[in-house]
Amino acid sequence: MQSSDEVAAAVGRNVRALRTQRRMTIDALAAAAGVSRGTVIQIETARGNPSIGTLVHLAEALRVGVASLVDGDAAPRVVVRRAEQAVPLWSSDAGSTAVFRIGTDPPDVVELWDWTLQPGDSFDGEAHPMGTAEVLSVLEGRLGLRVGTAEHELDTGDTLMFQAHVPHRYSGAGAEPVRFTMVVVQPGDAGLVPPGAIAQAVEQ
C-alpha cells in the first residue's frame, strides 16, 4: 500500500501533467474545480493531501476518473498495434488504400497513416480545424499534393509539412503506385474531421 506521501506525490504529478496537456492555467483549473488557486498549487507541489471531494472536483474539471489522479505508476504508457490490427479506412475502385496505423486520444491528437495511391488516382481531404498540420513522407513513387490552390510534387524520399485548415488533395503523380506515410497533428479539443469525398482517377 502506498504511503500518504507517495499518494500526494502521485496526485501532484498527475494533476500537473493533465492540466498541462489540457492547456489549463492554475487559475482556470481552480475555477473549473471550484477550489482556490492555493489549493491547486499545494496539490501540484505535493504539500498536502486533498480531500475526496477535492479529488472528485479536480477529476471532473480535468475530465478523467479519480483513478487517473491517484495512479502512482510512473512507467510510460506503451501501446503496440500489430500489423494485422491496422485499420484500412478508405479504398478506391482503382486499388488505392488509406490505412490508419495508430493514434492518440484528445485533446492533442496525433495520427499515423499509411497511404497507397494508384497512378492517376486521387483523394480529396476536407479542411481540418485551424492549427492542424500534416506531415507526408514518400516511401515509393511520386506524390502530387494540392494545398488550397498551390500544387506540389514529391519524389521518393521527399518529406513535406503543411497547415491543413484548407481543402487538400493527394494524387498518384507517377507511372507507378505511390506509397507515403502521413502524420496528422491536431492540438486541442477540436473534433476529428474525417476525410470527405473521393475523387476517382482523372483522365490525362
Side-chain angles (χ1 to χ4, degrees):
M1 183 177 293
Q2 290 180 299
S3 69
S4 59
D5 288 343
E6 289 172 332
V7 172
V11 170
R13 179 176 61 249
N14 293 331
V15 168
R16 183 167 57 253
L18 289 165
R19 177 177 62 78
T20 301
Q21 289 173 11
R22 283 149 178 72
R23 294 184 174 86
M24 297 178 75
T25 64
I26 290 176
D27 288 333
L29 176 56
V35 300
S36 69
R37 183 176 190 274
T39 296
V40 175
I41 293 173
Q42 284 190 330
I43 291 171
E44 289 194 358
T45 55
R47 288 186 289 166
N49 288 306
S51 67
I52 293 175
T54 298
L55 281 177
V56 169
H57 291 314
L58 286 171
E60 290 174 348
L62 293 166
R63 292 169 316 200
V64 297
V66 172
S68 295
L69 299 187
V70 300
D71 185 2
D73 185 4
R77 182 187 181 207
V78 177
V79 178
V80 177
R81 174 166 284 182
R82 303 298 180 185
E84 62 272 16
Q85 296 175 302
V87 181
L89 293 182
W90 173 77
S91 63
S92 75
D93 293 339
S96 301
T97 59
V99 178
F100 178 72
R101 292 292 179 184
I102 202 165
T104 62
D105 294 324
D108 295 314
V109 175
V110 179
E111 300 173 346
L112 176 62
W113 294 76
D114 185 347
W115 284 77
T116 300
L117 288 174
Q118 299 298 323
D121 205 7
S122 59
F123 179 88
D124 287 335
E126 295 181 356
H128 293 283
M130 184 68 69
T132 303
E134 292 190 11
V135 181
L136 312 179
S137 187
V138 180
L139 304 178
E140 300 172 359
R142 174 174 289 185
L143 174 67
L145 175 67
R146 179 191 300 162
V147 181
T149 59
E151 301 278 355
H152 307 271
E153 280 203 3
L154 304 178
D155 288 319
T156 300
D158 289 347
T159 302
L160 175 146
M161 178 174 65
F162 69 95
Q163 295 176 320
H165 58 270
V166 295
H168 41 281
R169 169 179 282 199
Y170 325 110
S171 57
E176 301 295 330
V178 57
R179 184 179 174 210
F180 63 99
T181 57
M182 177 177 74
V183 176
V184 181
V185 181
Q186 183 172 286
D189 294 323
L192 292 178
V193 178
I198 298 171
Q200 300 298 332
V202 178
E203 297 291 337
Q204 300 296 324

